[in-house]
Amino acid sequence: MKLYTVPVAPNPTKVMLYLAERAEAGNALPIEQKIVNTLKGRQREPDHLARNPFGTLPVLELDDGSYLRESLAIIDYLESKYPDGALAPSDAEARARARDLERIVELKIANPLAIYVHYKKSPLGLPPDPVQAAAIEKQIQAPLDFVEETLGDGRDLLAGDSVSTADLTLASHLQFVRFIGVDILGERPRLRDWDTRYRARPAAKAVLQC
């Protein structure tokens, strides 16, 4: 299998973190990573559009030549295909709580931040929009407060004591925001401590660039 990806971009980074966490735990997956340089527009070239007509990343090429094009679908597929060492808890309730938190992080924080970066200082050169950026800053305050409160029970990671897709999702998008020199965490000491702890993990050090 091949993973078509690009550093720093949040959704590719999420999958790269997943692979790094699996490898660090002694369960490396047989996947070749291939960089598609988005700053040079390689995602719009025919070779990549044949893999993904939307021109986005990541893309996982399966052994049969078919493709998966969404980060969470890629992770879910790899969790099922290689269950030994999977990140998701085996307990039904714990698994549901971890997925619930991941969905809150992605839909209410990560997805808005992916748009926010382009409104603030787009790496792709898109024009800034201070009004829309301010609206997103306001929108994400309550979800960030929710995560801060969730960490109030002393857990080390977002879903408990083990790394989850919620950690991967939030870490990858916080890197994207740091890439443009913006701090969005505010006065949230637990969230800041989580960020420091996660970035200190060997897998995170192997993938995150800022």
Short mmCIF file of all heavy atoms in Angstrom, two decimals, residues 71-125:
data_model
loop_
_atom_site.label_atom_id
_atom_site.label_comp_id
_atom_site.label_asym_id
_atom_site.label_seq_id
_atom_site.Cartn_x
_atom_site.Cartn_y
_atom_site.Cartn_z
N SER A 71 -9.28 10.88 5.57
CA SER A 71 -8.34 10.47 6.61
C SER A 71 -8.96 9.51 7.62
O SER A 71 -8.33 8.52 8.00
CB SER A 71 -7.78 11.71 7.32
OG SER A 71 -8.83 12.49 7.89
N LEU A 72 -10.16 9.79 8.08
CA LEU A 72 -10.77 8.91 9.07
C LEU A 72 -11.09 7.54 8.48
O LEU A 72 -10.93 6.52 9.15
CB LEU A 72 -12.03 9.55 9.65
CG LEU A 72 -12.65 8.83 10.84
CD1 LEU A 72 -11.65 8.67 11.98
CD2 LEU A 72 -13.90 9.57 11.32
N ALA A 73 -11.52 7.50 7.22
CA ALA A 73 -11.77 6.22 6.56
C ALA A 73 -10.48 5.42 6.44
O ALA A 73 -10.48 4.19 6.61
CB ALA A 73 -12.39 6.45 5.19
N ILE A 74 -9.39 6.10 6.15
CA ILE A 74 -8.09 5.43 6.04
C ILE A 74 -7.71 4.82 7.39
O ILE A 74 -7.31 3.65 7.47
CB ILE A 74 -7.01 6.42 5.56
CG1 ILE A 74 -7.26 6.80 4.10
CG2 ILE A 74 -5.61 5.84 5.73
CD1 ILE A 74 -6.40 7.95 3.60
N ILE A 75 -7.85 5.59 8.46
CA ILE A 75 -7.50 5.09 9.79
C ILE A 75 -8.41 3.93 10.18
O ILE A 75 -7.94 2.91 10.69
CB ILE A 75 -7.55 6.23 10.82
CG1 ILE A 75 -6.40 7.22 10.56
CG2 ILE A 75 -7.48 5.69 12.24
CD1 ILE A 75 -6.47 8.48 11.41
N ASP A 76 -9.70 4.07 9.94
CA ASP A 76 -10.63 2.99 10.28
C ASP A 76 -10.29 1.71 9.51
O ASP A 76 -10.36 0.60 10.06
CB ASP A 76 -12.06 3.42 9.97
CG ASP A 76 -12.64 4.36 11.02
OD1 ASP A 76 -12.02 4.52 12.09
OD2 ASP A 76 -13.72 4.93 10.77
N TYR A 77 -9.94 1.87 8.25
CA TYR A 77 -9.58 0.70 7.44
C TYR A 77 -8.35 0.00 8.02
O TYR A 77 -8.32 -1.22 8.18
CB TYR A 77 -9.30 1.14 6.00
CG TYR A 77 -8.69 0.07 5.14
CD1 TYR A 77 -9.44 -0.99 4.67
CD2 TYR A 77 -7.33 0.12 4.81
CE1 TYR A 77 -8.87 -1.99 3.87
CE2 TYR A 77 -6.75 -0.87 4.02
CZ TYR A 77 -7.52 -1.91 3.56
OH TYR A 77 -6.96 -2.90 2.78
N LEU A 78 -7.33 0.79 8.37
CA LEU A 78 -6.10 0.21 8.90
C LEU A 78 -6.32 -0.40 10.28
O LEU A 78 -5.71 -1.42 10.61
CB LEU A 78 -5.00 1.28 8.94
CG LEU A 78 -4.57 1.81 7.57
CD1 LEU A 78 -3.57 2.95 7.72
CD2 LEU A 78 -3.98 0.69 6.70
N GLU A 79 -7.20 0.20 11.08
CA GLU A 79 -7.54 -0.38 12.38
C GLU A 79 -8.18 -1.76 12.20
O GLU A 79 -7.90 -2.69 12.96
CB GLU A 79 -8.52 0.53 13.13
CG GLU A 79 -7.92 1.81 13.66
CD GLU A 79 -7.24 1.63 15.01
OE1 GLU A 79 -7.90 1.73 16.05
OE2 GLU A 79 -6.02 1.36 14.99
N SER A 80 -9.03 -1.90 11.19
CA SER A 80 -9.71 -3.18 10.95
C SER A 80 -8.79 -4.19 10.28
O SER A 80 -8.82 -5.39 10.61
CB SER A 80 -10.95 -2.95 10.07
OG SER A 80 -11.89 -2.14 10.73
N LYS A 81 -7.99 -3.73 9.35
CA LYS A 81 -7.12 -4.65 8.61
C LYS A 81 -5.98 -5.17 9.49
O LYS A 81 -5.54 -6.31 9.35
CB LYS A 81 -6.55 -3.95 7.37
CG LYS A 81 -5.74 -4.88 6.47
CD LYS A 81 -5.36 -4.20 5.17
CE LYS A 81 -4.52 -5.12 4.27
NZ LYS A 81 -5.29 -6.30 3.83
N TYR A 82 -5.50 -4.31 10.40
CA TYR A 82 -4.39 -4.69 11.28
C TYR A 82 -4.83 -4.50 12.74
O TYR A 82 -4.40 -3.56 13.42
CB TYR A 82 -3.15 -3.85 10.97
CG TYR A 82 -2.68 -3.96 9.54
CD1 TYR A 82 -2.98 -2.95 8.62
CD2 TYR A 82 -1.96 -5.06 9.10
CE1 TYR A 82 -2.55 -3.04 7.30
CE2 TYR A 82 -1.54 -5.17 7.79
CZ TYR A 82 -1.83 -4.15 6.90
OH TYR A 82 -1.41 -4.26 5.59
N PRO A 83 -5.70 -5.36 13.24
CA PRO A 83 -6.28 -5.16 14.57
C PRO A 83 -5.30 -5.35 15.72
O PRO A 83 -5.52 -4.80 16.80
CB PRO A 83 -7.41 -6.19 14.63
CG PRO A 83 -7.00 -7.25 13.67
CD PRO A 83 -6.28 -6.55 12.57
N ASP A 84 -4.23 -6.13 15.52
CA ASP A 84 -3.25 -6.29 16.58
C ASP A 84 -2.51 -4.97 16.79
O ASP A 84 -1.78 -4.50 15.89
CB ASP A 84 -2.25 -7.40 16.24
CG ASP A 84 -2.88 -8.77 16.26
OD1 ASP A 84 -3.96 -8.92 16.88
OD2 ASP A 84 -2.31 -9.70 15.66
N GLY A 85 -2.71 -4.36 17.94
CA GLY A 85 -2.10 -3.06 18.20
C GLY A 85 -2.94 -1.89 17.76
O GLY A 85 -2.46 -0.76 17.71
N ALA A 86 -4.21 -2.12 17.43
CA ALA A 86 -5.11 -1.02 17.05
C ALA A 86 -5.20 0.01 18.17
O ALA A 86 -5.10 -0.32 19.35
CB ALA A 86 -6.49 -1.56 16.70
N LEU A 87 -5.40 1.26 17.80
CA LEU A 87 -5.50 2.33 18.80
C LEU A 87 -6.86 2.33 19.50
O LEU A 87 -6.95 2.70 20.67
CB LEU A 87 -5.27 3.70 18.15
CG LEU A 87 -3.91 3.96 17.50
CD1 LEU A 87 -3.79 5.43 17.12
CD2 LEU A 87 -2.76 3.55 18.41
N ALA A 88 -7.92 1.96 18.80
CA ALA A 88 -9.25 2.02 19.39
C ALA A 88 -9.40 1.01 20.51
O ALA A 88 -8.92 -0.13 20.39
CB ALA A 88 -10.31 1.76 18.31
N PRO A 89 -10.04 1.38 21.62
CA PRO A 89 -10.25 0.43 22.72
C PRO A 89 -11.12 -0.74 22.27
O PRO A 89 -11.96 -0.61 21.38
CB PRO A 89 -10.97 1.27 23.78
CG PRO A 89 -10.75 2.70 23.40
CD PRO A 89 -10.60 2.72 21.92
N SER A 90 -10.92 -1.90 22.90
CA SER A 90 -11.74 -3.07 22.57
C SER A 90 -13.10 -3.02 23.26
O SER A 90 -14.08 -3.56 22.75
CB SER A 90 -11.01 -4.36 22.96
OG SER A 90 -10.67 -4.33 24.34
N ASP A 91 -13.17 -2.35 24.42
CA ASP A 91 -14.42 -2.21 25.15
C ASP A 91 -15.39 -1.31 24.39
O ASP A 91 -15.02 -0.22 23.93
CB ASP A 91 -14.13 -1.63 26.54
CG ASP A 91 -15.40 -1.33 27.32
OD1 ASP A 91 -16.01 -2.28 27.83
OD2 ASP A 91 -15.76 -0.14 27.40
N ALA A 92 -16.63 -1.74 24.25
CA ALA A 92 -17.60 -1.01 23.42
C ALA A 92 -17.84 0.40 23.93
O ALA A 92 -17.90 1.36 23.14
CB ALA A 92 -18.92 -1.78 23.37
N GLU A 93 -18.00 0.56 25.25
CA GLU A 93 -18.27 1.89 25.80
C GLU A 93 -17.07 2.81 25.64
O GLU A 93 -17.21 3.98 25.25
CB GLU A 93 -18.67 1.79 27.28
CG GLU A 93 -20.07 1.25 27.52
CD GLU A 93 -20.19 -0.25 27.29
OE1 GLU A 93 -19.13 -0.94 27.25
OE2 GLU A 93 -21.32 -0.75 27.15
N ALA A 94 -15.88 2.29 25.93
CA ALA A 94 -14.67 3.10 25.79
C ALA A 94 -14.44 3.48 24.33
O ALA A 94 -14.05 4.61 24.02
CB ALA A 94 -13.46 2.35 26.34
N ARG A 95 -14.71 2.55 23.43
CA ARG A 95 -14.56 2.84 22.00
C ARG A 95 -15.54 3.94 21.56
O ARG A 95 -15.18 4.86 20.83
CB ARG A 95 -14.80 1.57 21.17
CG ARG A 95 -14.62 1.77 19.67
CD ARG A 95 -15.04 0.50 18.93
NE ARG A 95 -14.14 -0.59 19.19
CZ ARG A 95 -13.17 -0.97 18.34
NH1 ARG A 95 -13.01 -0.34 17.18
NH2 ARG A 95 -12.38 -1.98 18.63
N ALA A 96 -16.78 3.85 22.05
CA ALA A 96 -17.78 4.86 21.69
C ALA A 96 -17.41 6.23 22.24
O ALA A 96 -17.57 7.25 21.56
CB ALA A 96 -19.15 4.44 22.20
N ARG A 97 -16.92 6.26 23.48
CA ARG A 97 -16.53 7.55 24.06
C ARG A 97 -15.36 8.16 23.31
O ARG A 97 -15.33 9.38 23.08
CB ARG A 97 -16.19 7.37 25.54
CG ARG A 97 -17.42 7.20 26.44
CD ARG A 97 -17.05 7.33 27.90
NE ARG A 97 -16.24 6.20 28.36
CZ ARG A 97 -16.75 5.09 28.88
NH1 ARG A 97 -18.07 4.97 29.02
NH2 ARG A 97 -15.96 4.11 29.29
N ALA A 98 -14.40 7.34 22.91
CA ALA A 98 -13.26 7.84 22.15
C ALA A 98 -13.70 8.38 20.80
O ALA A 98 -13.24 9.44 20.35
CB ALA A 98 -12.22 6.73 21.97
N ARG A 99 -14.63 7.67 20.13
CA ARG A 99 -15.11 8.16 18.83
C ARG A 99 -15.95 9.41 19.01
O ARG A 99 -15.89 10.34 18.18
CB ARG A 99 -15.92 7.05 18.14
CG ARG A 99 -16.57 7.46 16.79
CD ARG A 99 -15.58 8.11 15.84
NE ARG A 99 -14.54 7.22 15.41
CZ ARG A 99 -14.58 6.52 14.29
NH1 ARG A 99 -15.62 6.59 13.49
NH2 ARG A 99 -13.55 5.75 13.96
N ASP A 100 -16.75 9.47 20.05
CA ASP A 100 -17.56 10.66 20.33
C ASP A 100 -16.66 11.88 20.48
O ASP A 100 -16.92 12.94 19.89
CB ASP A 100 -18.37 10.42 21.61
CG ASP A 100 -19.36 11.54 21.89
OD1 ASP A 100 -20.15 11.88 20.99
OD2 ASP A 100 -19.36 12.06 23.02
N LEU A 101 -15.58 11.74 21.24
CA LEU A 101 -14.67 12.86 21.45
C LEU A 101 -13.95 13.23 20.15
O LEU A 101 -13.79 14.41 19.83
CB LEU A 101 -13.66 12.49 22.53
CG LEU A 101 -12.66 13.59 22.94
CD1 LEU A 101 -13.40 14.85 23.40
CD2 LEU A 101 -11.75 13.08 24.05
N GLU A 102 -13.57 12.22 19.39
CA GLU A 102 -12.92 12.50 18.10
C GLU A 102 -13.82 13.29 17.18
O GLU A 102 -13.39 14.23 16.52
CB GLU A 102 -12.49 11.19 17.44
CG GLU A 102 -11.70 11.35 16.15
CD GLU A 102 -12.57 11.59 14.94
OE1 GLU A 102 -13.73 11.12 14.93
OE2 GLU A 102 -12.10 12.26 13.99
N ARG A 103 -15.11 12.93 17.14
CA ARG A 103 -16.04 13.64 16.27
C ARG A 103 -16.23 15.08 16.74
O ARG A 103 -16.33 16.00 15.93
CB ARG A 103 -17.40 12.91 16.27
CG ARG A 103 -17.42 11.56 15.59
CD ARG A 103 -17.41 11.68 14.07
NE ARG A 103 -16.09 12.02 13.54
CZ ARG A 103 -15.86 12.61 12.38
NH1 ARG A 103 -16.87 12.95 11.61
NH2 ARG A 103 -14.65 12.87 11.98
N ILE A 104 -16.30 15.29 18.05
CA ILE A 104 -16.42 16.66 18.58
C ILE A 104 -15.20 17.47 18.19
O ILE A 104 -15.31 18.61 17.71
CB ILE A 104 -16.60 16.62 20.11
CG1 ILE A 104 -17.98 16.05 20.45
CG2 ILE A 104 -16.42 18.01 20.72
CD1 ILE A 104 -18.16 15.73 21.93
N VAL A 105 -14.01 16.90 18.38
CA VAL A 105 -12.78 17.62 18.05
C VAL A 105 -12.72 17.94 16.56
O VAL A 105 -12.40 19.06 16.16
CB VAL A 105 -11.55 16.78 18.49
CG1 VAL A 105 -10.27 17.35 17.88
CG2 VAL A 105 -11.44 16.75 20.00
N GLU A 106 -13.05 16.95 15.72
CA GLU A 106 -12.92 17.20 14.28
C GLU A 106 -13.97 18.18 13.76
O GLU A 106 -13.64 19.14 13.05
CB GLU A 106 -13.02 15.90 13.49
CG GLU A 106 -12.95 16.15 11.98
CD GLU A 106 -12.44 14.97 11.19
OE1 GLU A 106 -12.42 13.85 11.71
OE2 GLU A 106 -12.07 15.18 10.03
N LEU A 107 -15.22 17.96 14.11
CA LEU A 107 -16.29 18.76 13.52
C LEU A 107 -16.36 20.16 14.11
O LEU A 107 -16.69 21.12 13.39
CB LEU A 107 -17.63 18.05 13.71
CG LEU A 107 -17.76 16.70 13.00
CD1 LEU A 107 -19.08 16.04 13.36
CD2 LEU A 107 -17.62 16.85 11.50
N LYS A 108 -16.05 20.31 15.39
CA LYS A 108 -16.26 21.60 16.05
C LYS A 108 -14.99 22.41 16.24
O LYS A 108 -15.06 23.62 16.51
CB LYS A 108 -16.95 21.38 17.40
CG LYS A 108 -18.31 20.72 17.27
CD LYS A 108 -19.02 20.59 18.60
CE LYS A 108 -20.36 19.87 18.47
NZ LYS A 108 -21.27 20.53 17.53
N ILE A 109 -13.81 21.76 16.10
CA ILE A 109 -12.55 22.50 16.26
C ILE A 109 -11.68 22.37 15.01
O ILE A 109 -11.30 23.37 14.40
CB ILE A 109 -11.76 22.00 17.49
CG1 ILE A 109 -12.57 22.19 18.77
CG2 ILE A 109 -10.43 22.75 17.61
CD1 ILE A 109 -11.93 21.59 20.01
N ALA A 110 -11.39 21.14 14.62
CA ALA A 110 -10.41 20.93 13.56
C ALA A 110 -10.88 21.45 12.20
O ALA A 110 -10.14 22.17 11.51
CB ALA A 110 -10.08 19.44 13.46
N ASN A 111 -12.09 21.10 11.79
CA ASN A 111 -12.57 21.57 10.49
C ASN A 111 -12.63 23.09 10.40
O ASN A 111 -12.20 23.67 9.40
CB ASN A 111 -13.92 20.94 10.17
CG ASN A 111 -13.81 19.47 9.82
OD1 ASN A 111 -12.72 18.93 9.65
ND2 ASN A 111 -14.94 18.79 9.70
N PRO A 112 -13.17 23.78 11.42
CA PRO A 112 -13.11 25.24 11.37
C PRO A 112 -11.69 25.78 11.32
O PRO A 112 -11.42 26.76 10.61
CB PRO A 112 -13.83 25.67 12.67
CG PRO A 112 -14.76 24.54 12.96
CD PRO A 112 -14.03 23.31 12.54
N LEU A 113 -10.76 25.16 12.05
CA LEU A 113 -9.37 25.65 12.03
C LEU A 113 -8.73 25.50 10.66
O LEU A 113 -7.92 26.33 10.25
CB LEU A 113 -8.54 24.91 13.08
CG LEU A 113 -8.74 25.34 14.53
CD1 LEU A 113 -7.83 24.52 15.44
CD2 LEU A 113 -8.47 26.83 14.72
N ALA A 114 -9.07 24.43 9.95
CA ALA A 114 -8.52 24.24 8.62
C ALA A 114 -8.90 25.39 7.69
O ALA A 114 -8.10 25.81 6.83
CB ALA A 114 -8.98 22.91 8.04
N ILE A 115 -10.10 25.90 7.86
CA ILE A 115 -10.55 27.06 7.06
C ILE A 115 -9.94 28.35 7.62
O ILE A 115 -9.51 29.24 6.88
CB ILE A 115 -12.09 27.14 7.08
CG1 ILE A 115 -12.69 25.86 6.51
CG2 ILE A 115 -12.58 28.36 6.30
CD1 ILE A 115 -14.18 25.75 6.71
N TYR A 116 -9.88 28.43 8.95
CA TYR A 116 -9.37 29.62 9.64
C TYR A 116 -7.95 29.98 9.18
O TYR A 116 -7.65 31.16 8.95
CB TYR A 116 -9.38 29.33 11.14
CG TYR A 116 -8.70 30.34 12.01
CD1 TYR A 116 -9.33 31.52 12.38
CD2 TYR A 116 -7.41 30.10 12.50
CE1 TYR A 116 -8.71 32.45 13.19
CE2 TYR A 116 -6.79 31.02 13.33
CZ TYR A 116 -7.43 32.18 13.67
OH TYR A 116 -6.81 33.10 14.48
N VAL A 117 -7.10 28.98 9.04
CA VAL A 117 -5.72 29.25 8.62
C VAL A 117 -5.68 30.00 7.30
O VAL A 117 -4.90 30.94 7.12
CB VAL A 117 -4.93 27.92 8.53
CG1 VAL A 117 -3.62 28.11 7.76
CG2 VAL A 117 -4.64 27.39 9.94
N HIS A 118 -6.54 29.63 6.37
CA HIS A 118 -6.53 30.30 5.06
C HIS A 118 -7.13 31.70 5.15
O HIS A 118 -6.75 32.59 4.38
CB HIS A 118 -7.27 29.44 4.04
CG HIS A 118 -6.56 28.16 3.74
ND1 HIS A 118 -5.38 28.12 3.03
CD2 HIS A 118 -6.83 26.87 4.09
CE1 HIS A 118 -4.96 26.87 2.92
NE2 HIS A 118 -5.83 26.09 3.56
N TYR A 119 -8.04 31.93 6.09
CA TYR A 119 -8.55 33.29 6.29
C TYR A 119 -7.51 34.19 6.95
O TYR A 119 -7.49 35.40 6.71
CB TYR A 119 -9.81 33.26 7.17
CG TYR A 119 -11.06 32.78 6.47
CD1 TYR A 119 -12.02 32.05 7.15
CD2 TYR A 119 -11.30 33.08 5.13
CE1 TYR A 119 -13.19 31.63 6.53
CE2 TYR A 119 -12.45 32.67 4.50
CZ TYR A 119 -13.39 31.94 5.20
OH TYR A 119 -14.55 31.52 4.57
N LYS A 120 -6.64 33.59 7.78
CA LYS A 120 -5.63 34.38 8.49
C LYS A 120 -4.39 34.63 7.62
O LYS A 120 -4.00 35.77 7.40
CB LYS A 120 -5.22 33.68 9.79
CG LYS A 120 -6.27 33.69 10.87
CD LYS A 120 -6.43 35.08 11.50
CE LYS A 120 -5.29 35.46 12.39
NZ LYS A 120 -5.53 36.72 13.11
N LYS A 121 -3.77 33.54 7.18
CA LYS A 121 -2.52 33.66 6.41
C LYS A 121 -2.34 32.38 5.61
O LYS A 121 -1.62 31.47 6.00
CB LYS A 121 -1.33 33.88 7.36
CG LYS A 121 -0.02 34.17 6.65
CD LYS A 121 1.09 34.39 7.68
CE LYS A 121 2.43 34.65 6.98
NZ LYS A 121 3.52 34.83 7.98
N SER A 122 -2.99 32.32 4.49
CA SER A 122 -3.07 31.08 3.72
C SER A 122 -1.71 30.64 3.18
O SER A 122 -1.03 31.41 2.49
CB SER A 122 -4.04 31.25 2.55
OG SER A 122 -4.01 30.10 1.72
N PRO A 123 -1.28 29.40 3.47
CA PRO A 123 -0.06 28.88 2.85
C PRO A 123 -0.16 28.78 1.34
O PRO A 123 0.86 28.71 0.65
CB PRO A 123 0.10 27.49 3.49
CG PRO A 123 -0.73 27.52 4.73
CD PRO A 123 -1.86 28.46 4.42
N LEU A 124 -1.40 28.75 0.83
CA LEU A 124 -1.60 28.66 -0.62
C LEU A 124 -1.77 30.02 -1.28
O LEU A 124 -2.07 30.11 -2.46
CB LEU A 124 -2.83 27.78 -0.90
CG LEU A 124 -2.75 26.35 -0.39
CD1 LEU A 124 -4.03 25.60 -0.71
CD2 LEU A 124 -1.53 25.61 -0.95
N GLY A 125 -1.62 31.09 -0.48
CA GLY A 125 -1.70 32.44 -1.04
C GLY A 125 -3.10 32.97 -1.23
O GLY A 125 -3.29 33.96 -1.96
#
